[in-house]
Amino acid sequence: MTKINKKSENYSQELAEFIAETARSMQAENIKILDMREYVEYTDFFVVCTGDNKMQIRAIADEVIDKFNEEKIDNFNLEGYDNREWILIDAYDVLFHIFDREAREYYKLEKLWADVPQQIVTDTK
C-alpha cells in the first residue's frame, strides 16, 4: 500500500486514494471518490463506500484507523462508530463515509453531489 506524504502538494488526493484502497482491501463495495475542491470549503474529497453488515462496517473503519496510526495521521474525528449504519471518519481534507446499504440509499450522497467529479474505485467482488 502506498505511503502518505503529508507535505505533498497532492496530499488530500493521496489521502483519499489511500482510504479508498484500504476500504477496497476490506471488501467494501461501491467505493467512490468525490472531488469536492471546487464545491465546498470544508473538505477536498469525500470517499464513500458500503459495507455488507455492521461488523464489516466497523472492520473497515478500524482498518482505516489502524492505517492512519501506522502513517502517524492523528488529526481526525470519528462519528457513528457505535451505531454502525453510517460511520464518518473526518480527516479534514477527506471525509470518509462508510454506509450500510439502507443508509446509503436513504442519504444518496452521490446524487446530492451529482455535479461533482466522481471516481469509481473497482470493487473486489
Side-chain angles (χ1 to χ4, degrees), residues 31-47:
I31 305 165
K32 293 185 181 177
I33 299 173
L34 285 67
D35 185 343
M36 307 299 290
R37 292 177 288 192
E38 299 294 321
Y39 298 87
V40 299
E41 293 182 12
Y42 57 86
T43 195
D44 289 345
F45 292 92
F46 285 175
V47 177

Side-chain angles (χ1 to χ4, degrees), residues 1-5 14 17-19 21-22 67 71:
M1 183 163 292
T2 307
K3 295 288 185 185
I4 298 296
N5 180 356
E14 291 172 10
E17 291 169 358
F18 179 82
I19 291 169
E21 177 62 26
T22 302
K67 295 293 184 188
E71 294 291 323

Side-chain angles (χ1 to χ4, degrees), residues 40-107:
V40 299
E41 293 182 12
Y42 57 86
T43 195
D44 289 345
F45 292 92
F46 285 175
V47 177
V48 184
C49 73
T50 303
D52 275 335
N53 55 58
K54 291 180 183 294
M55 288 180 60
Q56 184 190 25
I57 291 167
R58 185 176 269 183
I60 294 166
D62 288 343
E63 184 68 12
V64 168
I65 292 167
D66 287 348
K67 295 293 184 188
F68 279 5
N69 290 333
E70 288 174 16
E71 294 291 323
K72 302 201 181 343
I73 299 170
D74 56 4
N75 195 17
F76 66 90
N77 293 306
L78 181 64
E79 299 290 334
Y81 187 78
D82 292 329
N83 178 302
R84 293 180 278 169
E85 292 172 2
W86 178 6
I87 295 177
L88 172 66
I89 300 176
D90 180 351
Y92 300 99
D93 294 320
V94 179
L95 298 179
F96 179 38
H97 304 268
I98 314 164
F99 289 104
D100 69 12
R101 293 182 199 294
E102 292 79 26
R104 186 152 183 191
E105 178 59 30
Y106 180 79
Y107 290 104

Side-chain angles (χ1 to χ4, degrees), residues 104-115:
R104 186 152 183 191
E105 178 59 30
Y106 180 79
Y107 290 104
K108 299 179 184 182
L109 287 185
E110 297 96 326
K111 289 184 181 179
L112 178 65
W113 294 103
D115 294 339

